[in-house]
Each structure stands twice: as structure tokens, then as C-alpha cells.
Amino acid sequence: MELLPKTPSTRGPAELFTGDVHFDVIAKGEAPSQLRVNLVRFAPGARTAWHRHANGQTLHVTDGVGLVQSRGGEVIVMKPGDTVYTPPGEWHWHGATDQDFMCHLAMWEGLAGDQDGQETEWAAHVTDAEYGAR
Ligand code: MN
């Protein structure tokens, strides 16, 4: 086994996020594992851009109050202990509410050796109108 000391948090880049987002890489499996686990912290109003994961994603809220929406769906409130699964290829975004911080674990899988495409595909930022639509 190996003890992996805490590493510095990384700021989520402005091309992919709105507002202040920081993440810690908890696990990144070495092949054949494609395990990916990040702890992601969002300040109030902060959110991802629209994106989708080739192999889907599981989110587990550890603190605060968050929002998540699939393309064409309702904006859903998520709270500590809630788990949200977004299936492969489903466009979505996630973030904090405008009044709360939110922290979640994000768990997904990278591309298998025989898979083409992108592990995560990013699109437009979530507009204030989209974010406020609830
Ligand atoms: Mn996602």
C-alpha cells in the first residue's frame, strides 16, 4: 500500500467553470483501472459548464447545497448524502446554489483502451438564465 499525502487543490479553469471552483484529485487509476475520483468545492453561484462523460458519472454531495440539471430536465437541488448518477453521454451541469457553498465527490471512469472519443466533452457555459431557472 501507499500513503498518498494531501496535494494542493487545483482551481477549476475559467473555460470550464463559472465562478470559484477548486478540486482535489483523490484517485486516478493506472490502467487497466480507469477510476477517477475528485473532491470538488464550489463557491456560491459557481458551476460547471455543460458537459458529458463518455462512461457516465456519479456525484455524492458531502457538504452544502448544490444544483444539477440534465439537458431539457428540471434543475434539481442536491444535499449532503444525496447521490446523483448521470448516464454516459448525457449533457448536464452541476454546481452550488447562489447562496450556498457545495462540495461533492465526482466519480467516473476514463476511456477504456478500445474506446474512442473524449473522457469528458465540454460545451457552453451555463448562462445566468439557465442557472436561475428553478
Ligand atoms: Mn459531470
Side-chain angles (χ1 to χ4, degrees):
M1 69 169 61
E2 198 178 356
L3 172 65
L4 303 168
K6 172 78 175 69
T7 55
S9 299
T10 299
R11 175 178 286 270
E15 311 90 81
L16 308 183
F17 297 93
T18 299
D20 288 332
V21 179
H22 296 80
F23 63 91
D24 293 357
V25 177
I26 305 298
K28 186 172 185 196
E30 292 184 27
S33 170
Q34 298 297 333
L35 176 68
R36 307 280 186 266
V37 183
N38 282 3
L39 184 67
V40 192
R41 295 182 171 92
F42 298 80
R47 66 267 191 180
T48 69
W50 287 99
H51 65 284
R52 60 182 181 175
H53 308 283
N55 293 326
Q57 183 178 58
T58 298
L59 304 174
H60 182 79
V61 179
T62 60
D63 190 54
V65 185
L67 300 175
V68 60
Q69 183 185 28
S70 291
R71 182 81 77 192
E74 301 281 306
V75 177
I76 295 168
V77 175
M78 50 184 187
K79 294 185 173 176
D82 289 345
T83 299
V84 174
Y85 175 68
T86 60
E90 183 173 276
W91 290 101
H92 66 280
W93 62 268
H94 28 113
T97 71
D98 59 359
Q99 295 186 325
D100 299 281
F101 287 81
M102 189 275 285
C103 183
H104 68 43
L105 287 166
M107 296 162 274
W108 73 103
E109 290 170 76
L111 296 178
D114 59 355
Q115 264 188 305
D116 292 327
Q118 295 170 266
E119 181 172 311
T120 301
E121 183 179 355
W122 293 89
H125 282 93
V126 173
T127 66
D128 287 346
E130 289 171 321
Y131 179 73
R134 67 184 178 106

